[in-house]
Amino acid sequence: QAATAGYIYNLDEGSVYIEHIPWIDFNDYNLPKPIFINLVRDPVERMISWYYYVRNSYRNAIFYRNNPLAPLKPTAWFKKSYNDCVRTGDPECQYVPLAVRDVEGNFKRQSIFFCGHDQDCLPFNSPLAVQIAKRRVETEYAVVGTWEETNITLTVLEHYIPRYFARAKMIFHMYQKSLQNRNRNNRKPHVDADVRAMVRRNFTHEYDFYYFCKQRLYMQYIALKRTELERMNFP
């Protein structure tokens, strides 16, 4: 954490640092706090996407090229559907509440990116971890958006962090077709409703956090629109 915080602090003014990393308290290292932003996504949709993302042939070709001595996954692993994985009780698709270790790494703890590096942040679907994450969002993050609400997210970013996101919505729509194909996994077979429901039952607190972030985003958006209406003298 100290090395990462120091690295970010020493970047040129105006730099943007993007990484999959839990929140770091820069005050612990007597460093000025950067502007924190993040995005959230429906927890079950994240798991489905990750499941098929790690089975992507292109991704695995790169991995094995860089790690030629790594053991190869069996063909059955690549071909197994998410429906079957959940229904057969495969350990990879068992999201055990309060677990701290995974059979396969899956990033199921969305809240950990906001909770931070404390030990209390590790248990999956932990009510304590989620409450800490909520407090971090309220006190540390300028904007937490979601690509499920693209226009709202970009509007809030434009107004709350204009130095970096001025005209973001206009630019996004200009290049929407090319941007939508970035980092997209087109191999995402249908997942049955009962399977989604089975998985969702183990993500209760993660959903609480997800909805909390969306509500905060909506409140920021409504505040902006109210200010615009008042400026235009609309009742």
Side-chain angles (χ1 to χ4, degrees):
Q1 294 181 66
T4 301
Y7 173 79
I8 294 171
Y9 172 71
N10 286 306
L11 292 173
D12 293 337
E13 184 178 353
S15 295
V16 177
Y17 180 80
I18 304 172
E19 187 58 85
H20 290 94
I21 188 170
W23 174 81
I24 293 175
D25 189 352
F26 279 67
N27 291 331
D28 284 348
Y29 309 104
N30 296 314
L31 295 174
K33 182 176 68 177
I35 299 172
F36 287 108
I37 65 170
N38 213 322
L39 297 169
V40 291
R41 186 179 181 186
D42 181 283
V44 172
E45 291 300 320
R46 289 179 73 247
M47 292 300 93
I48 296 169
S49 289
W50 176 257
Y51 181 85
Y52 286 110
Y53 171 71
V54 296
R55 285 162 169 77
N56 181 279
S57 58
Y58 180 72
R59 174 188 180 274
N60 281 280
I62 294 175
F63 172 79
Y64 288 118
R65 184 180 66 187
N66 294 333
N67 302 273
L69 299 180
L72 292 171
K73 295 282 189 182
T75 302
W77 184 84
F78 285 95
K79 291 185 175 181
K80 190 167 191 175
S81 73
Y82 192 73
N83 286 329
D84 290 341
C85 186
V86 173
R87 288 188 177 124
T88 60
D90 191 313
E92 182 182 0
C93 298
Q94 297 298 298
Y95 310 102
V96 181
L98 303 182
V100 297
R101 295 184 181 276
D102 304 317
V103 175
E104 297 279 348
N106 55 23
F107 295 103
K108 64 179 177 285
R109 302 165 180 83
Q110 184 165 222
S111 60
I112 198 172
F113 291 102
F114 303 84
C115 182
H117 292 79
D118 295 340
Q119 291 295 310
D120 288 335
C121 300
L122 284 176
F124 165 64
N125 203 45
S126 157
L128 175 58
V130 163
Q131 291 306 314
I132 296 172
K134 286 181 180 179
R135 186 170 72 243
R136 300 276 190 244
V137 169
E138 280 287 88
T139 60
E140 301 293 334
Y141 284 80
V143 177
V144 176
T146 169
W147 283 122
E148 295 144 354
E149 300 282 4
T150 307
N151 285 335
I152 291 177
T153 296
L154 292 176
T155 298
V156 173
L157 286 168
E158 281 181 338
H159 286 81
Y160 276 70
I161 317 174
R163 179 181 179 185
Y164 294 89
F165 292 98
R167 298 180 296 280
K169 191 163 61 173
M170 178 191 72
I171 294 170
F172 174 77
H173 288 292
M174 284 175 60
Y175 298 97
Q176 188 169 4
K177 288 184 178 180
S178 60
L179 289 171
Q180 284 181 335
N181 290 322
R182 296 284 181 90
N183 204 30
R184 175 186 288 275
N185 180 15
N186 292 317
R187 182 187 173 236
K188 193 175 174 184
H190 173 75
V191 175
D192 294 335
D194 66 305
V195 169
R196 292 175 185 271
M198 289 169 63
V199 175
R200 188 183 178 109
R201 285 196 289 268
N202 284 6
F203 282 78
T204 50
H205 295 292
E206 285 292 328
Y207 266 103
D208 178 36
F209 176 70
Y210 168 67
Y211 290 133
F212 170 83
C213 293
K214 289 187 73 172
Q215 182 184 45
R216 180 176 185 258
L217 179 70
Y218 294 154
M219 290 174 65
Q220 290 176 314
Y221 181 75
I222 291 169
L224 292 172
K225 290 301 177 182
R226 183 179 62 189
T227 301
E228 287 183 14
L229 291 174
E230 290 173 352
R231 194 183 304 128
M232 298 167 65
N233 294 320
F234 283 133

